[in-house]
Amino acid sequence: MFVQPSARLLRTRAFSTSAARRTTSVTLKALGLDAYNLGVYNGAWGGNGTIVESVNPATGEVIGAVQQANLSDLNQTLDNASQAAKIWRSVPAPKRGEIVRQMRNALFAKIEPLGKLVALEMGKILPEGIGEVQEYIDIADYAVGLSRMLNGQVVPSERAGHMMMEVWNPVGVVGVISAFNFPVAVYGWNSAISMVCGNSVVWKGAPTTALTSVAVTKILAEVLETNNLPGAICSLASGGAEIGNAIAHDKRVNLVSFTGSTNTGRKVALAVQARFGKSLLELGGNNAIIVHNDADIDLAVRSVLFAAVGTAGQRCTTTRRLFLHADIHDTFIERLIKAYEQIKIGNPLESGILCGPLHTKQSVRAFEQGVEDVKAQGGKILHGGNALHHLVGNFVEPTITSIAHDAPVVHREIFAPILHTIKYDDISEAVAWNNEVGQGLSSSLFTTSPEKMFNWIGPEGSDCGI
């Protein structure tokens, strides 16, 4: 007897563990990785800390293991990076750019397997995984050009026969602490620019994406070693909070770049500031889109869909709040729900999948708690709202809610595909609501009015940086 499958099952796809194992094996081999890997590089590979297993969030299977750094490993790595910085800073900037160009080419040669590893380990769909590696390649291209433009200014002096000259010098050692959701690109943005500026880099990636950190470092290390340069220019100290905390407190790290949660970022900033170091923070985002009554609805629906669902809602720039003008609210919601109904959830390596798994079981629990909080705070679930426990991995349904703009759950960043929709009558009201959360990062306005566009980007518009 034929039984009609549910709509949810039609929109979700699992994949065989045997196929996943074959894909994993081929991918690791292409990147020079094994089932067990050393996670410390400072000119030589090592590691004496705990062993962390990397788990495929779509299957729950172990991909491989990495031996992390302990504090002694980190201490040696920082010593080596400090010495390497003294050599690297004396290399002319255009020649530093040439090394970054070679790294760019080496990354491009591995873009497919490295993008596939990102999909396997982080869980984002394959086009996003490959696209993330491309982001590193793109910033490397930019850095190569920048290496020939690190010029300062000549400033007139008020004293006769004198002038003032501005010269930019390296800071020394840059520590990069990156998050799981962009395990390649965030490091790339930091390291490519840091390197052409003459700094060595010490990287601590997320423990849950340690294989990707090792794979990237292997690619960079080969370029450095081929050019007879100290490998410690691109050092790696895999580890958890203990290693990150030590980097934040260590005076040998002249600048700490941290990407992650607001709570942890606050701790990093205070630790670095206490020793008068420099910090660069990219933290949470509770991002909004405003769709006004004169907007192109087709364009807005497509944009909102990917902005809210891409990377399974695990981007710092994921859209989490949607403000809809009353005139178009009902129509827009109807069309958005229809679009959500077409989303395919499942194996991030499979063509046609738009939403892969959340990264961890903890993320699934945070999603479920968020849904419960919406209901408890007077909101409604318009679409989705369920964790897909019938699938092996960490899958959830992309979810649309209807809730008040000032509900506590709306003001909390939930790193999952939950989109809160709010109706407004006047655009000044929507702009104020856009600005009222404490995690402004990115925001968008859909309108055909030039006046509203320029107001939006002006001092009375969005307070977000993007």
Side-chain angles (χ1 to χ4, degrees):
M1 182 179 69
F2 175 75
V3 178
Q4 178 67 34
S6 69
R8 182 188 301 169
L9 288 175
L10 285 172
R11 292 185 288 108
T12 60
R13 298 185 184 182
F15 60 113
S16 72
T17 56
S18 59
R21 292 192 192 101
R22 287 194 298 272
T23 299
T24 298
S25 177
V26 171
T27 301
L28 294 182
K29 184 177 180 180
L31 295 167
L33 299 175
D34 297 306
Y36 165 80
N37 305 272
L38 296 172
V40 178
Y41 180 75
N42 50 32
W45 287 94
N48 296 286
T50 58
I51 296 175
V52 62
E53 291 184 331
S54 180
V55 177
N56 184 334
T59 66
E61 294 183 322
V62 174
I63 302 170
V66 172
Q67 182 104 38
Q68 301 183 110
N70 60 19
L71 291 178
S72 178
D73 295 325
L74 176 62
N75 182 63
Q76 184 63 59
T77 298
L78 291 177
D79 276 347
N80 290 8
S82 297
Q83 293 302 313
K86 295 175 182 177
I87 297 171
W88 185 237
R89 71 189 182 190
S90 66
V91 176
K95 292 187 177 180
R96 297 195 296 256
E98 165 59 18
I99 300 302
V100 173
R101 186 193 67 81
Q102 293 179 33
M103 290 177 170
R104 177 253 186 239
N105 289 346
L107 287 161
F108 183 76
K110 299 284 188 179
I111 190 171
E112 291 285 342
L114 189 53
K116 192 168 291 184
L117 179 60
V118 172
L120 283 166
E121 190 173 35
M122 185 274 153
K124 63 178 61 176
I125 60 175
L126 182 58
E128 289 187 75
I130 292 174
E132 182 177 338
V133 181
Q134 184 64 48
E135 289 190 51
Y136 192 165
I137 292 167
D138 291 343
I139 200 67
D141 284 336
Y142 174 80
V144 172
L146 185 65
S147 70
R148 294 182 177 272
M149 297 185 292
L150 296 173
N151 49 289
Q153 301 181 73
V154 175
V155 183
S157 172
E158 60 188 22
R159 298 179 63 191
H162 289 72
M163 68 174 185
M164 294 179 287
M165 185 169 64
E166 178 186 57
V167 177
W168 292 92
N169 289 310
V171 297
V173 176
V174 173
V176 177
I177 304 173
S178 61
F180 74 87
N181 58 334
F182 282 86
V184 173
V186 167
Y187 172 72
W189 298 330
N190 283 275
S191 67
I193 300 298
S194 295
M195 287 186 65
V196 297
C197 291
N199 306 298
S200 63
V201 184
V202 176
W203 181 20
K204 190 206 83 68
T208 53
T209 53
L211 287 172
T212 300
S213 300
V214 172
V216 171
T217 302
K218 281 181 176 288
I219 293 169
L220 306 184
E222 184 175 355
V223 173
L224 291 170
E225 292 166 6
T226 299
N227 285 274
N228 296 314
L229 287 164
I233 292 170
C234 291
S235 294
L236 174 68
S238 301
E242 181 184 44
I243 298 300
N245 185 60
I247 289 172
H249 282 87
D250 200 299
K251 290 184 177 181
R252 288 171 292 182
V253 184
N254 304 94
L255 184 150
V256 177
S257 176
F258 173 84
T259 301
S261 71
T262 301
N263 289 337
T264 304
R266 182 179 292 108
K267 295 175 184 177
V268 170
L270 292 172
V272 176
Q273 178 59 36
R275 59 179 176 84
F276 296 110
K278 302 176 187 294
S279 62
L280 179 64
L281 307 175
E282 200 276 281
L283 308 178
N286 197 344
N287 316 290
I289 288 178
I290 299 173
V291 183
H292 202 51
N293 60 358
D294 61 349
D296 181 332
I297 301 301
D298 288 337
L299 174 63
V301 168
R302 292 196 302 271
S303 300
V304 168
L305 177 68
F306 186 70
V309 178
T311 324
Q314 298 170 109
R315 293 193 301 256
C316 299
T317 52
T318 291
T319 296
R320 310 194 186 281
R321 299 175 297 144
L322 176 63
F323 301 112
L324 300 170
H325 191 277
D327 291 349
I328 54 95
H329 176 274
D330 292 352
T331 298
F332 195 97
I333 290 293
E334 180 181 355
R335 294 182 62 175
L336 186 63
I337 289 174
K338 287 182 179 179
Y340 267 58
E341 289 172 347
Q342 305 305 310
I343 295 170
K344 292 181 180 179
I345 306 165
N347 173 11
L349 295 176
E350 183 179 324
S351 177
I353 296 296
L354 180 62
C355 184
L358 293 179
H359 189 54
T360 63
K361 296 295 183 186
Q362 182 180 355
S363 299
V364 175
R365 290 191 292 270
F367 166 85
E368 291 178 309
Q369 184 61 58
V371 170
E372 291 305 311
D373 290 345
V374 167
K375 297 174 182 177
Q377 294 170 22
K380 297 179 180 179
I381 305 300
L382 303 182
H383 178 82
N386 300 295
L388 301 179
H389 294 297
H390 66 281
L391 296 178
V392 176
N394 307 325
F395 296 99
V396 301
E397 289 180 321
T399 297
I400 304 172
T401 81
S402 176
I403 193 169
H405 71 92
D406 55 355
V409 69
V410 175
H411 284 237
R412 186 175 87 238
E413 182 188 25
I414 302 171
F415 228 55
I418 300 177
L419 178 65
H420 304 299
T421 66
I422 298 107
K423 184 188 298 185
Y424 74 91
D425 294 306
D426 184 82
I427 194 166
S428 61
E429 182 179 50
V431 172
W433 294 347
N434 172 81
N435 295 343
E436 71 182 357
V437 299
Q439 321 98 326
L441 180 59
S442 67
S443 59
S444 301
L445 168 66
F446 284 81
T447 179
T448 54
S449 166
E451 178 184 5
K452 292 181 176 63
M453 294 177 194
F454 283 103
N455 285 340
W456 175 247
I457 63 174
E460 296 182 358
S462 173
D463 66 355
C464 297
I466 302 174

